[in-house]
Amino acid sequence: MRVPLQLVTAEGFVAGDADLVLGGALLGLGSVPHPEWPVQHVGAALLGVDAPALQETWLIDGAPVTAGRFEGVEWRRCGDVLYGVIELAEDALPAGGDKTALQWVSESAYERIFRLLDTQGLPHLWRVWNYLSDIHGDDGGLERYRRFNMGRGHAFEQAARSVVGRVPAACAIGLAQGPLSVAFLAGAVPAVPIENPRQLSAYLYPSDYGPRSPTFSRAALVYPPGQELLFISGTASIVGHRSLHDGNVLAQSQETFDNIESVLAEANRASRHGRFDLTGLSYRVYIRHAEHFDTVRRVLHQRCGNVAAVCLQADICRVELLVEIEAMGGHAA
Ligand code: 3EB
């Protein structure tokens, strides 16, 4: 029987049937075996789970899986859907430029991804997961997240991708350590980008937030064969372009769900195959301070019911933001 593209979460490490696996992520701390498919290591403490790590695995079936390693990008493909991961340490600096190491690896990671996608004939990035260490650290007079944005945006332009409008859903999260890590889903057909009327599009943020605006959409509808998936990007307590409720995790959590509800309503307007509901999505929740976990979880359950959620202690890309939440869902098309 054909398995639609679906994300399965398990405690610890599960070997699984490689013929059905596209790739995945390992969320948590400690060492874990590396399976034979691309895995993004998200080295952040899990909150509210006893296991040291959770394994998320994208299952798919329908065409033979092909796989490879291209310029450091580990990838697997099934039909017209491709998942890949690239991890780049910030130790290689090109000589003589004015780019910092992080800026350069950010640019390089995306350049390699776009070259792979062009080679594979699957040019459309759907969803990207970005992780970098010390996200607020200074990097040649600019915050590291801002350097990351300079590199990412430049690579989009170099690869002839739009930096406004048709851009992928994403998250960009700070971890205590580790290389720049970028995982992605891509396909043959473009994603349908969704914006949030409560928020200025991130690609239009003013230069107060850095010399180059971030390159992501608030959400994306994507179309693997026979399916419609919704990816809601990392969402925080931002209205317009301003962060709200400095120091108040309860109010930030509520504002975040107001934003998620709003972008979900936009997605439902654009959906071709039926509605998505808050209670039917699965969530990844990033919490800056572990002691805020109970408050955030209470708001999550008040707003969404008893949904599937993975909670991680991690840094959000603006210092004043205490929580960021992303979500996904899917149904038959
Ligand atoms: C925001 O709304 C919060 O740089 O890819 C959320 C999702 C955020 C994705 C990214 C950043 C990114 O601006 C931060």
Side-chain angles (χ1 to χ4, degrees):
M1 205 192 87
R2 192 192 169 92
V3 183
L5 181 59
Q6 59 180 300
L7 190 61
V8 181
T9 303
E11 286 195 7
F13 174 74
V14 185
D17 178 355
D19 287 348
L20 300 180
V21 175
L22 200 56
L26 274 161
L27 313 170
L29 298 172
S31 75
V32 271
H34 196 311
E36 58 188 289
W37 50 82
V39 174
Q40 182 170 47
H41 294 93
V42 182
L46 288 165
L47 302 171
V49 187
D50 281 336
L54 290 176
Q55 180 184 11
E56 290 190 343
T57 309
W58 286 102
L59 299 183
I60 191 168
D61 188 18
V65 169
T66 55
R69 194 177 165 91
F70 174 93
E71 297 184 16
V73 187
E74 246 202 281
W75 62 271
R76 275 167 88 84
R77 170 180 183 163
C78 180
D80 283 348
V81 180
L82 186 147
Y83 177 84
V85 177
I86 178 166
E87 293 183 344
L88 286 181
E90 296 167 42
D91 49 16
L93 230 195
D98 57 356
K99 290 167 185 166
T100 68
L102 175 63
Q103 188 179 344
W104 189 76
V105 294
S106 306
E107 192 178 301
S108 182
Y110 275 86
E111 282 174 357
R112 297 171 198 213
I113 290 167
F114 287 130
R115 277 196 293 268
L116 165 67
L117 295 182
D118 288 344
T119 303
Q120 288 289 319
L122 302 177
H124 301 289
L125 263 188
W126 286 349
R127 207 309 189 186
V128 188
W129 292 263
N130 303 288
Y131 297 91
L132 56 150
S133 63
D134 190 23
I135 193 165
H136 303 307
D138 177 83
D139 191 22
L142 273 180
E143 188 186 44
R144 281 167 54 80
Y145 174 62
R146 299 176 181 206
R147 289 284 175 191
F148 164 77
N149 278 318
M150 292 172 76
R152 173 174 56 177
H154 186 74
F156 270 71
E157 285 181 351
Q158 289 303 303
R161 261 66 175 190
S162 178
V163 292
V164 296
R166 247 170 59 171
V167 291
C171 57
I173 290 293
L175 301 176
Q177 56 188 34
L180 173 72
S181 172
V182 182
F184 58 95
L185 269 173
V189 294
V192 175
I194 309 290
E195 291 300 308
N196 183 348
R198 302 181 85 240
Q199 299 185 299
L200 183 66
S201 295
Y203 48 77
L204 300 179
Y205 281 169
S207 56
D208 323 22
Y209 303 98
R212 196 188 259 277
S213 308
T215 312
F216 70 95
S217 58
R218 297 301 180 184
L221 287 165
V222 307
Y223 296 90
Q227 281 177 279
E228 181 177 62
L229 301 185
L230 170 65
F231 289 104
I232 296 182
S233 293
T235 304
S237 179
I238 295 173
V239 175
H241 59 77
R242 293 201 168 80
S243 308
L244 297 187
H245 317 300
D246 201 352
N248 185 340
V249 71
L250 176 61
Q252 284 199 17
S253 303
Q254 284 162 339
E255 198 73 53
T256 297
F257 277 105
D258 289 350
N259 277 330
I260 290 175
E261 273 181 15
S262 169
V263 78
L264 186 63
E266 290 302 300
N268 280 328
R269 265 188 272 283
S271 165
R272 302 172 191 162
H273 301 279
R275 290 181 54 79
F276 294 94
D277 188 281
L278 268 189
T279 61
L281 303 180
S282 59
Y283 294 81
R284 198 185 279 181
V285 180
Y286 303 100
I287 300 173
R288 186 183 292 278
H289 303 297
E291 63 267 28
H292 291 158
F293 171 61
D294 285 336
T295 304
V296 176
R297 183 175 49 180
R298 205 176 326 119
V299 177
L300 173 74
H301 288 159
Q302 278 164 0
R303 300 291 287 258
C304 306
N306 195 20
V307 289
V310 175
C311 300
L312 297 159
Q313 190 275 312
D315 293 335
I316 326 299
C317 67
R318 294 185 189 177
V319 276
E320 67 278 12
L321 294 174
L322 299 171
V323 58
E324 180 173 306
I325 301 177
E326 60 195 47
M328 58 155 292
H331 46 225

